Amino acid sequence: MSTAGFDFASGNLSKLLALPKYLLSLVLSWFVPRVRSRWAFGSGAGVGEGALAVARRLRIEQPDAEIAWLVADADEADRARAEGFTAVERRGRAGFWATLRAGHIVVTHGMGDVNRFGVTGGFIVQLWHGAPLKRLHFDSPVTTKVAGPPLIRALLRRMYRAGSRQVDLYVAGSPLAAERLRSAFRVAPGKVRVLGDPRDDALARQASETDGGAQARVAVRSILEQAGARIAESDALVLYAPTWRDGDPDPGIPNDAEARAIREACARTGAHLVVRSHPLGGGAYDALLGDRVHALGAELLRDITPMLGAFDAVITDYSSLALDFALLERPIIWFAPDLERYGSTRGLYEPLEVTASGRVARDWAEVLRTWDALAAPGERRALIGEARALAERFHTYRDGCSAQRVLGEITRLRAPAAELIDPEGVFFESFYGRQIGCNPLALDREIARRFPDRPRYWSVVSERQHVPEGAVPVLVGGREWFAARRYARLLIVNDWLRYGFRRRRGQTVLQTWHGTMLKHLALGRPDVGLRTRIAVLRESRRWSLMLSQNSHSTEQFRTSYAFRGDILETGYPRDDSLAQALAGHTVNPVAVRLARAELGVPPDARVLVYAPTWRDRGVTLVDELDVRSLAEELGDEWVVVARGHTRTHDFGRYGGADARVIDASRHPDAATVILAADVLVTDYSSIMFDAAVSRTPMLFFVPDLAAYRDRERGFTFDFERDAPGPLLAAREEIVSHARALAEDGPDAEWLRQYEPAAAAWRERFTPYDDGRAASRVVDALVARSSL
């Protein structure tokens, strides 16, 4: 049952050789109008996958829609016509014209599902073909593999990137799958929507049926029996579905002894093994076939996903089919004989042991032991529980209505942009949408309190982020995100706007920034090039107003950004909660307890907060202090709470499994982290100015002080002279100072030594931070008719 294979290298070479055709078709697309009522569908798997579910639903919802299915051969053409679609051969002139004229293009694998030369300018929907388990596209080195010099590989990557950006909507089944698709295709978060996987609609309905997919079982048995199988009504069906290996041999093919053991297991358990090789690369399983082992290739059943309800269990390696099957909450046996090699070549998004809850068979003997164990109720319940957990991770919707959601999203996205948002709304963005926090969050709270009916739109990069109550999340780079930035009367942001934003007449952009600057920024940085200068000036012209914590910041904004507009020197709204938590010269113990409980700190622990900034020399997790070693040296009475800069969130987490280290990098409110601290350790982060509001003791871990001062950024004032705490260069010094604070409290020698400097620091940098900054800012916006 070996089938024709495919490998990326030859496919990529074909793409490069077709470059002249791409360029010619691009020119032609400028002159040929598209028709919205025309739809072009295609799938690398034939007439099936999620494309078929959407096409069927489209025929119900829009009977007048012209549906063309782009086919590869006569068999697919017959299947398309049987569904009531117009069958068009994808590679010929008719396929090019059908694709070029279609207002909507729906694919599941790539542009080759339709006519790849006719896609430019169409509204393209990429449904994909299963939740990503193995690495895809740019996330895997094999997908852009091609022979030739670096220039050829660079050109190929550009072509891949251009193709990714042509897609208007990627569809994902869950936030986890959405994040993997965004990474794989290098597209903005808003291009990927969690709508459920239409290819699983039939399967989801089977899962909810009392008979558990009886019709699928009858259909699969009928296909196998027509091929010569004899299956009793009481016999179980077990599916073996290995994935392909980019042209490499299938390592799961059993030897003679293993084949005998498999057949004996089938007889012993009263089951039939159904072998389903991947359509793009099969294995030589003919020697295994027999009375209880059957082949179910694509020539017998083209689209197997809707028929998974026929099977009692599945054996697979890295196939996304297992994640579909998880909807049925039936046992999955993971079999990966080449796990190390596959992980180092194609790669997986997470260790297979994580996906498989630690159960990965490495040979057929292990597979058969698990198979036999299914007869034990406890083992069977455990495997069912693992499948249920997989379904919860990868399937947000389990109602069988994903095709409807996809069509509804297409209709919504094609509506005029101005209809997507309320122009009286307020748009908020913090750190490019990576965090719901900082000054925009504090202003959101004040605006929501005073204008409860005002729509509020929050920029986010993931569905996992929680926006404030009553606010609407808009994914960065999506159509609503662009609409909110374009049409909202007021924008409140704390960093650059990007994406060629242009402020409209009557629109207010409040740039709150994200901290008083110790280090130089923008035009103040050393060796600023002409290109950077132009970008800085263009960006600052987009802002109507700036928010400043103190006169030092005001002066820096004038010079570093050449900003000539109004600056509201009001103090920082993000520090209002810190000022309000003060009871005299110390923080209210109730506020400390609440903050620690929110972070998960044990009630009796002492807390050291480590909050370093990022480094220009490399975007990595900054852990010069080595928080795990620090926690060990401090001892069991201490907990280390680490908070990394938003620019380093994608490069790991602090502490790993160490219970004495809590990673608070993604916590929305830095004030909560500060309030939890007995002592704050930072380097050059602006958190030092926030912590001054709450009078939190500060230590500065700066082993690279000379390099940072003289070669990287430089300082806007004499930090070494004015610092409100000791400048330290060794972890042992941090431990010593922390222990002294624990022993002597406010009477610690180093704390008393630096109190004059800390008082001068507060007077200079936090003169307005009295807990009412947000109110003053909103008053100013009202006075300007921005609210």
Side-chain angles (χ1 to χ4, degrees):
M1 56 175 293
S2 180
T3 60
F6 169 85
D7 66 88
F8 282 112
S10 59
N12 289 334
L13 180 60
S14 298
K15 287 185 176 68
L16 289 167
L17 294 175
L19 186 57
K21 291 184 180 179
Y22 283 110
L23 296 175
L24 182 61
S25 61
L26 172 63
V27 174
L28 188 58
S29 69
W30 297 340
F31 302 99
V32 177
R34 292 187 177 271
V35 181
R36 278 208 178 190
S37 61
R38 293 188 179 183
W39 294 67
F41 285 83
S43 172
V47 183
E49 290 282 347
L52 180 57
V54 173
R56 285 172 171 169
R57 188 66 201 178
L58 175 64
R59 193 174 53 195
I60 295 171
E61 293 186 7
Q62 300 180 32
D64 296 332
E66 302 175 49
I67 303 176
W69 197 285
L70 283 294
V71 301
D73 52 41
D75 180 59
E76 286 187 18
D78 290 342
R79 293 172 186 267
R81 283 191 284 267
E83 291 284 347
F85 311 141
T86 301
V88 183
E89 204 283 312
R90 70 169 66 116
R91 293 188 178 180
R93 291 183 181 179
F96 173 66
W97 187 250
T99 307
L100 189 65
R101 293 281 281 148
H104 301 86
I105 299 167
V106 182
V107 298
T108 64
H109 289 65
M111 302 306 180
D113 291 354
V114 287
N115 186 289
R116 65 175 69 251
F117 304 111
V119 298
T120 302
F123 186 93
I124 302 172
V125 179
Q126 170 59 278
L127 300 175
W128 204 240
H129 47 281
L133 182 57
K134 47 186 175 282
R135 291 189 176 273
L136 309 173
H137 222 59
F138 287 113
D139 286 343
S140 176
V142 303
T143 55
T144 54
K145 181 172 64 177
V146 68
L151 182 63
I152 293 295
R153 292 194 292 275
L155 176 61
L156 179 67
R157 289 182 70 84
R158 282 182 175 272
M159 292 177 68
Y160 265 94
R161 188 173 288 275
S164 296
R165 289 174 175 171
Q166 281 184 298
V167 176
D168 296 276
L169 173 63
Y170 291 85
V171 175
S174 67
L176 177 58
E179 289 164 3
R180 293 177 180 181
L181 290 175
R182 288 163 186 149
S183 173
F185 292 100
R186 303 294 194 266
V187 292
K191 284 289 192 80
V192 185
R193 299 304 174 97
V194 177
L195 304 170
D197 194 337
R199 88 172 190 166
D200 288 330
D201 278 356
L203 200 58
R205 289 191 288 269
Q206 290 173 32
S208 66
E209 294 169 357
T210 54
D211 57 13
Q215 290 183 340
R217 192 174 182 86
V218 170
V220 168
R221 284 170 177 261
S222 175
I223 292 170
L224 293 173
E225 289 171 357
Q226 288 177 25
R230 295 292 179 264
I231 304 173
E233 185 66 29
S234 60
D235 289 346
L237 291 182
V238 176
L239 178 67
Y240 173 47
T243 193
W244 66 302
R245 264 97 175 151
D246 190 31
D248 290 340
D250 185 346
I253 299 172
N255 58 36
D256 291 343
E258 290 172 327
R260 284 195 299 273
I262 292 169
R263 286 192 286 266
E264 289 170 2
C266 289
R268 185 170 58 251
T269 59
H272 290 251
L273 181 66
V274 179
V275 181
R276 169 79 174 193
S277 288
H278 193 282
L280 292 180
Y285 287 94
D286 292 345
L288 176 63
L289 305 182
D291 290 344
R292 285 187 172 269
V293 183
H294 319 286
L296 186 63
E299 72 283 358
L300 295 178
L301 179 61
R302 190 69 180 180
D303 192 4
I304 195 170
T305 308
M307 297 297 175
L308 289 177
F311 299 98
D312 299 280
V314 158
I315 303 168
T316 189
D317 41 24
Y318 321 106
S319 174
S320 62
L321 179 146
L323 305 180
D324 303 313
F325 189 71
L327 278 167
L328 297 168
E329 298 182 2
R330 298 176 189 174
I332 301 169
I333 302 174
W334 298 90
F335 171 40
D338 61 340
L339 182 57
E340 290 76 17
R341 174 176 169 76
Y342 197 88
S344 63
T345 53
R346 180 63 183 267
L348 301 170
Y349 280 106
E350 64 186 22
L352 189 61
E353 291 84 357
V354 173
T355 312
S357 300
R359 302 169 184 251
V360 181
R362 306 305 298 276
D363 55 39
W364 275 104
E366 288 185 73
V367 171
L368 297 181
R369 281 196 292 272
T370 304
W371 188 342
D372 283 335
L374 290 176
E379 181 70 6
R380 188 173 188 85
R381 281 196 300 271
L383 287 172
I384 289 173
E386 291 165 11
R388 183 179 298 117
L390 269 183
E392 290 172 355
R393 292 183 68 202
F394 286 95
H395 299 282
T396 297
Y397 299 100
R398 303 171 69 172
D399 55 6
C401 298
S402 297
Q404 290 102 302
R405 277 188 292 274
V406 170
L407 288 175
E409 184 69 5
I410 293 171
T411 300
R412 196 178 64 82
L413 291 177
R414 303 227 65 182
E419 296 179 6
L420 298 177
I421 66 110
D422 187 330
E424 292 301 310
V426 184
F427 172 87
F428 297 88
E429 184 173 79
S430 176
F431 298 113
Y432 302 139
R434 289 194 289 262
Q435 198 169 72
I436 311 296
C438 195
N439 291 309
L441 178 60
L443 290 171
D444 173 278
R445 291 168 180 156
E446 182 68 11
I447 291 171
R449 184 182 69 83
R450 291 167 60 172
F451 302 93
D453 297 328
R454 185 65 53 101
R456 291 147 37 233
Y457 302 97
W458 264 96
S459 173
V460 298
V461 296
S462 171
E463 295 83 2
R464 299 176 190 266
Q465 292 172 273
H466 298 290
V467 300
E469 184 178 355
V472 178
V474 287
L475 283 160
V476 170
R479 202 146 182 267
E480 310 99 315
W481 184 81
F482 281 111
R485 299 202 321 164
R486 172 71 173 160
Y487 295 107
R489 177 188 289 191
L490 173 62
L491 278 64
I492 298 177
V493 301
N494 76 347
D495 216 321
W496 286 32
L497 285 152
R498 307 159 294 149
Y499 289 90
F501 173 81
R502 297 182 66 180
R503 177 160 45 98
R504 290 191 309 114
R505 184 183 299 275
Q507 191 174 45
T508 299
V509 177
L510 171 61
Q511 172 58 264
T512 73
W513 205 243
H514 46 270
T516 288
M517 53 292 300
L518 164 65
K519 51 188 176 281
H520 285 298
L521 71 157
L523 300 177
R525 294 170 62 176
D527 304 320
V528 178
L530 177 61
R531 182 177 179 182
T532 299
R533 287 181 177 276
I534 293 172
V536 168
L537 293 172
R538 183 173 59 235
E539 177 65 23
S540 64
R541 299 300 182 267
R542 293 168 173 162
W543 309 332
S544 313
L545 295 165
M546 290 199 77
L547 180 59
S548 169
Q549 187 174 20
N550 45 55
S551 59
H552 173 74
S553 296
T554 300
E555 178 186 345
Q556 289 300 311
F557 289 138
R558 294 294 187 203
T559 57
S560 296
Y561 274 100
F563 185 69
R564 298 293 176 259
D566 290 343
I567 296 180
L568 305 178
E569 195 175 301
T570 59
Y572 256 6
R574 75 181 188 182
D575 291 336
D576 282 353
S577 59
L578 292 173
Q580 292 163 6
L582 280 176
H585 290 254
T586 60
V587 175
N588 187 320
V590 175
V592 175
R593 285 199 301 271
L594 291 174
R596 292 183 176 184
E598 191 172 329
L599 296 175
V601 175
D604 298 329
R606 297 186 182 276
V607 177
L608 181 148
V609 168
Y610 176 51
T613 191
W614 64 297
R615 298 297 193 273
D616 288 344
R617 61 179 178 268
V619 184
T620 58
L621 191 72
V622 177
D623 190 12
E624 304 292 338
L625 198 51
D626 187 352
V627 293
R628 296 183 70 176
S629 296
L630 174 65
E632 186 174 339
E633 292 176 26
L634 283 171
D636 292 339
E637 66 175 321
W638 285 85
V639 168
V640 175
V641 175
R643 182 176 177 84
H645 194 280
T646 55
R647 289 178 183 258
T648 67
H649 284 184
D650 294 335
F651 298 92
R653 294 181 65 82
Y654 289 100
D658 194 331
R660 293 169 300 181
V661 178
I662 295 173
D663 191 321
S665 300
R666 289 175 171 79
H667 191 278
D669 198 345
T672 300
V673 179
I674 294 170
L675 289 172
D678 287 299
V679 60
L680 170 73
V681 180
T682 187
D683 43 18
Y684 319 107
S685 169
S686 65
I687 199 171
M688 65 179 70
F689 301 98
D690 306 296
V693 176
S694 57
R695 299 172 180 257
T696 302
M698 285 186 275
L699 301 171
F700 297 90
F701 185 65
V702 289
D704 60 342
L705 176 62
Y708 198 91
R709 178 194 62 213
D710 301 333
R711 294 195 296 275
E712 184 155 352
R713 282 291 190 100
F715 301 135
T716 60
F717 59 89
D718 193 337
F719 176 53
E720 294 163 83
R721 182 194 65 199
D722 299 339
L727 307 182
L728 309 175
R731 186 170 62 246
E732 294 76 13
E733 294 178 286
I734 297 291
V735 173
S736 174
H737 282 72
R739 285 177 175 167
L741 181 67
E743 184 175 341
D744 300 328
D747 294 325
E749 181 181 352
W750 70 265
L751 199 59
R752 287 189 289 106
Q753 177 186 346
Y754 277 91
E755 178 48 37
W761 184 277
R762 290 192 297 271
E763 183 177 352
R764 180 180 181 186
F765 295 116
T766 64
Y768 308 110
D769 289 297
D770 57 1
R772 297 189 295 274
S775 179
R776 288 191 290 271
V777 173
V778 173
D779 286 344
L781 292 171
V782 171
R784 287 168 168 78
S785 299
S786 300
L787 276 171

